[in-house]
Amino acid sequence: MNTQYTSEVELILSSLNRDKRDLLDKVAEIDKVIKRIKYGNLNLGLSKGKAIENNITDVEVIEHPKAFPLKADLKVQAIKVFDLLGVASKLSDVRDKYKELTGLTVNLRETLRNLNKHDILKLLQPKGTMRGLYWVKTEWLEDNGTRLKEQHKFDGFDLLYSDEMIEFK
C-alpha cells in the first residue's frame, strides 16, 4: 500500500468517525427529550391541568429526570401518577396518564379505593351526593382536610366549585 492511499483512507475514516460521534450526540439528545416527555418532566401544554412552568433548557430537569417506578407495586405507581399530574383528577385522567407512562391498560379503581381507605387519597364530591368526582392526595388538602390547595386545582376549578359546596371523603 502506498502512503498517499493510506493517508486518504485515514482522512476518510476520521471524517466518518466524526460524523458518527455527531450523530450519536444527536441521538442522545433526542433520548433525553423522549425521557423527559415520557416521565412527565416536559409540559407540552397538552394536559388539562394547570400549566407547570418548565423550561426546555433547564439543566436540572435534564440531569435529574423523575423516573416512573415501572417495577413498583401498583399502589406506588398510582401515587406517582398523582405526583406527575399534580391536580385533582378524574379516574379516567389517572388511567390515561398511567397508560401513557407504562403502555398498560389497568383498572385502577380498586387501587385508588384502597389508597382512599388508608387516607393517602381523598375523593372530592359535591355535598349531599354519594358520588365522588375527582381524586386528590390527602397532602394536597389544608384546613383540616376541608380545602384543596390552590396549586392542586385544575384550570376552571374555582368556576365549578366553591369550598362550601364540596367535601373530601
Side-chain angles (χ1 to χ4, degrees):
M1 229 180 196
N2 68 33
T3 57
Q4 183 181 4
Y5 177 73
T6 305
S7 65
E8 288 174 358
V9 169
E10 287 180 23
L11 184 62
I12 291 171
L13 287 175
S14 173
S15 176
L16 288 173
N17 279 326
R18 187 175 45 250
D19 290 346
K20 177 182 168 185
R21 280 192 307 274
D22 290 345
L23 290 172
L24 287 174
D25 289 343
K26 287 180 183 181
V27 168
E29 288 300 315
I30 291 171
D31 280 344
K32 286 180 186 178
V33 172
I34 289 170
K35 285 178 184 175
R36 289 174 58 202
I37 292 170
K38 185 174 181 182
Y39 298 127
N41 290 332
L42 180 63
N43 183 14
L44 299 173
L46 303 175
S47 66
K48 295 179 184 175
K50 287 189 172 188
I52 301 169
E53 293 188 22
N54 282 332
N55 185 352
I56 267 184
T57 59
D58 187 1
V59 175
E60 186 176 327
V61 171
I62 293 171
E63 292 179 23
H64 304 291
K66 296 177 188 175
F68 186 77
L70 291 172
K71 296 187 179 189
D73 185 66
L74 188 56
K75 293 174 194 166
V76 174
Q77 290 178 335
I79 293 167
K80 184 65 174 176
V81 168
F82 275 94
D83 290 338
L84 294 172
L85 289 170
V87 294
S89 302
K90 291 184 177 184
L91 174 61
S92 61
D93 294 335
V94 176
R95 191 181 312 124
D96 292 346
K97 185 67 171 178
Y98 183 84
K99 183 173 182 172
E100 174 188 325
L101 293 168
T102 65
L104 302 172
T105 302
V106 176
N107 185 356
L108 292 171
R109 183 181 310 274
E110 288 306 315
T111 302
L112 298 186
R113 285 182 180 171
N114 196 323
L115 290 170
N116 177 258
K117 192 184 311 181
H118 291 85
D119 270 346
I120 296 170
L121 296 180
K122 293 287 186 181
L123 195 55
L124 177 154
Q125 64 187 52
K127 287 184 178 176
T129 64
M130 298 299 288
R131 185 178 172 125
L133 299 174
Y134 295 93
W135 289 96
V136 299
K137 288 183 72 174
T138 304
E139 66 190 45
W140 295 351
L141 302 176
E142 56 189 2
D143 296 336
N144 293 325
T146 60
R147 203 164 56 87
L148 185 61
K149 294 177 183 175
E150 284 298 316
Q151 68 264 30
H152 300 293
K153 293 179 179 179
F154 53 83
D155 288 334
F157 183 90
D158 291 326
L159 297 173
L160 298 173
Y161 305 105
S162 67
D163 292 335
E164 300 79 39
M165 58 187 285
I166 58 173
E167 58 189 348
F168 299 93
K169 291 192 176 192

